[in-house]
Amino acid sequence: MTDTPEEARRKADRAQEKADKLTAEAERRSESAHNMYGRFAGGQPLLRGHHSYRSARRTKDRADAASEQAVDAYKAAERARAEAKWASSKAEAVEVIASVTSTRERPWEPSDFKVDDIVTVRVFETSTSTYRVKRVNKKTLTLDGGGGGWDDPKREYDRVLSRTRDGITITNPAEGETR
């Protein structure tokens, strides 16, 4: 994993601050555009040839541009909110995985596993999957992917979060030594 739980939480907080800032900016731009359209609130159309036409046209063009900027700002704020949500989910997953791995007294080793054990492994930084052990190798576990062999994943021992054997689940490899 690349981030510690603290780093992941700080990134999530920064992403949320950015989303809040962009949302406030979008609302400010929207209010500004709304105020620019105030000249046209009575419904008076632009009158070609009238002495006020050029000024009204410029005001309307500015208001239209401000509206487009407000829409763009809302879209940026929406993307930032999605990024903040992802960063928060990632931080929670990193914290959970770190809490599991921090209780270990020693790393997992090949002698800790047997064929048909059930293991929960970290697949990516933030997700886990549960598999049946198909083969215990020197550096990895070959896991049953369910596809008859063509999709059997291999995972390194440092990615194992827990092992279940005979209905007993352990997250600390040293616990398996006493049983």
Side-chain angles (χ1 to χ4, degrees):
M1 273 192 281
T2 57
D3 292 341
T4 65
E6 295 79 20
E7 290 170 339
R9 183 53 55 196
R10 278 195 300 274
K11 285 181 181 179
D13 292 343
R14 282 194 305 269
Q16 186 60 50
E17 289 171 8
K18 178 182 176 183
D20 293 342
K21 181 180 174 184
L22 287 173
T23 300
E25 175 70 13
E27 290 172 1
R28 186 189 64 75
R29 287 181 182 271
S30 179
E31 182 67 28
S32 174
H34 177 73
N35 291 338
M36 288 181 186
Y37 282 119
R39 177 176 181 174
F40 309 105
Q44 177 68 32
L46 300 178
L47 302 172
R48 291 190 187 272
H50 193 269
H51 68 88
S52 65
Y53 178 76
R54 285 184 8 194
S55 172
R57 180 86 247 166
R58 274 194 311 271
T59 301
K60 184 177 180 317
D61 290 344
R62 286 182 186 134
D64 289 345
S67 291
E68 289 175 12
Q69 290 174 350
V71 168
D72 291 343
Y74 274 117
K75 288 178 182 177
E78 192 62 35
R79 284 190 301 271
R81 273 195 294 276
E83 289 172 9
K85 184 177 178 182
W86 162 246
S88 180
S89 296
K90 178 181 175 182
E92 289 172 16
V94 168
E95 288 167 355
V96 167
I97 290 170
S99 70
V100 169
T101 58
S102 67
T103 60
R104 293 186 187 154
E105 297 172 28
R106 65 172 179 80
W108 293 103
E109 300 170 349
S111 61
D112 295 322
F113 299 96
K114 294 181 182 175
V115 173
D116 290 332
D117 283 349
I118 304 297
V119 293
T120 300
V121 295
R122 181 173 46 86
V123 180
F124 298 107
E125 273 188 296
T126 59
S127 63
T128 61
S129 291
T130 303
Y131 296 98
R132 184 180 60 82
V133 175
K134 194 170 184 180
R135 188 176 310 114
V136 179
N137 307 312
K138 186 176 181 180
K139 296 181 182 179
T140 62
L141 290 171
T142 301
L143 307 170
D144 188 359
W150 67 270
D151 67 342
D152 292 341
K154 289 187 177 184
R155 296 291 180 258
E156 295 81 14
Y157 291 106
D158 64 345
R159 289 180 167 258
V160 176
L161 298 176
S162 68
R163 180 201 76 202
T164 303
R165 182 185 297 158
D166 301 327
I168 300 171
T169 301
I170 62 170
T171 57
N172 181 3
E175 291 176 10
E177 295 170 353
T178 59
R179 295 194 168 124

